Amino acid sequence: MIFGLPPGSTVLVVAPHPDDETLGAGGTIARLTMAGVTVHVLVIACRSHPGSDPVVRAGELDQACTVLGVASQHIAFPGGEAATDPGSRMAEVVHLIESGPGPSLRVLRPAGLLIPAAGSFHQDHRAVHDAGLAAARPSGHAPSLVLGYRGPEDTLWTAGPTARGTVAVDTGGVWETKAKALAAYTTQMRDDPHPRSVETIAALDRAAGASAGTAMAEMFVPYRLVAR
């Protein structure tokens, strides 16, 4: 079992943008779905960069989630002002994660919640982290497991001291699945040695694995771990 979750459990993954779910937790998502855990992905904003199209990015998300075995994926802000600055709508983002529309804590009642870890350089990641923690506050629908993930750029370029990831997931057996999901993001991946290159991501996963005694791993910051 992954995180002690039996088959039939549900996990909600909240990503600031399409690709963050795969960059930070793609191997773990693949392992969860292979183990019979239902995973839903809520993407907050489809921020459009020069040369990228929100429609294309939504298609990349769909393709990557299919590779990873995700049950459903939803983009809350596919365009407009909200997509460029979700942090300016914090109350709305908290409500989205907590109650929807789209996959949410109140609707899914998931056992686990994966959110961006604190300390990212990116303002959207920081906002989604704060909103995720607020949505997961103690309540009748609070998940018993809340973990924070980091993408390669968050790992290599941080905004000051950050909490260390101490929960490791062995992803050596699903690296090819994660690499295939990463390949879906043709507009976002870059050539080596960029942090968003396959080579750099593989090196970071190998380094995480070395610290955990496995070939490859993804590391998570624990915010809530409640044994049932």
Side-chain angles (χ1 to χ4, degrees):
M1 291 189 294
I2 313 301
F3 304 134
L5 300 177
S9 301
T10 300
V11 168
L12 175 62
V13 180
V14 181
H17 315 107
D19 76 359
D20 289 317
E21 80 297 326
T22 303
L23 290 167
T28 299
I29 293 172
R31 284 209 58 193
L32 286 167
T33 60
M34 289 172 62
V37 174
T38 301
V39 177
H40 298 265
V41 172
L42 171 63
V43 173
I44 300 302
C46 194
R47 180 186 283 264
S48 181
H49 301 286
S52 71
D53 183 317
V55 175
V56 172
R57 295 200 67 182
E60 293 174 342
L61 172 69
D62 291 346
Q63 185 179 345
C65 285
T66 297
V67 170
L68 297 175
V70 169
S72 75
Q73 57 275 354
H74 174 73
I75 299 175
F77 301 135
E81 182 182 350
T84 63
D85 188 14
S88 66
R89 302 193 178 198
M90 282 296 291
E92 188 173 353
V93 175
V94 173
H95 181 79
L96 281 167
I97 298 170
E98 186 174 12
S99 302
S104 66
L105 298 178
R106 196 179 296 273
V107 170
L108 297 175
R109 304 290 174 124
L113 174 68
L114 306 185
I115 61 175
S120 172
F121 73 95
H122 198 299
Q123 67 273 17
D124 293 355
H125 291 223
R126 294 197 300 270
V128 174
H129 166 79
D130 290 344
L133 281 187
R137 65 193 179 277
S139 67
H141 52 268
S144 58
L145 174 76
V146 181
L147 299 173
Y149 62 86
R150 290 196 177 98
E153 288 163 303
D154 293 330
T155 300
L156 297 171
W157 181 257
T158 58
T162 58
R164 180 173 175 266
T166 55
V167 176
V169 176
D170 181 354
T171 58
V174 293
W175 166 250
E176 290 185 4
T177 302
K178 179 176 179 176
K180 185 177 179 181
L182 289 169
Y185 288 106
T186 56
T187 66
Q188 303 306 305
M189 296 299 289
R190 299 291 183 264
D191 294 331
D192 191 36
H194 193 281
R196 268 183 281 121
S197 67
V198 172
E199 293 85 356
T200 299
I201 294 167
L204 289 170
D205 287 3
R206 280 194 295 270
S211 71
T214 65
M216 303 183 97
E218 290 173 347
M219 303 297 293
F220 295 85
V221 179
Y223 296 112
R224 178 181 294 135
L225 292 170
V226 180
R228 298 296 187 186

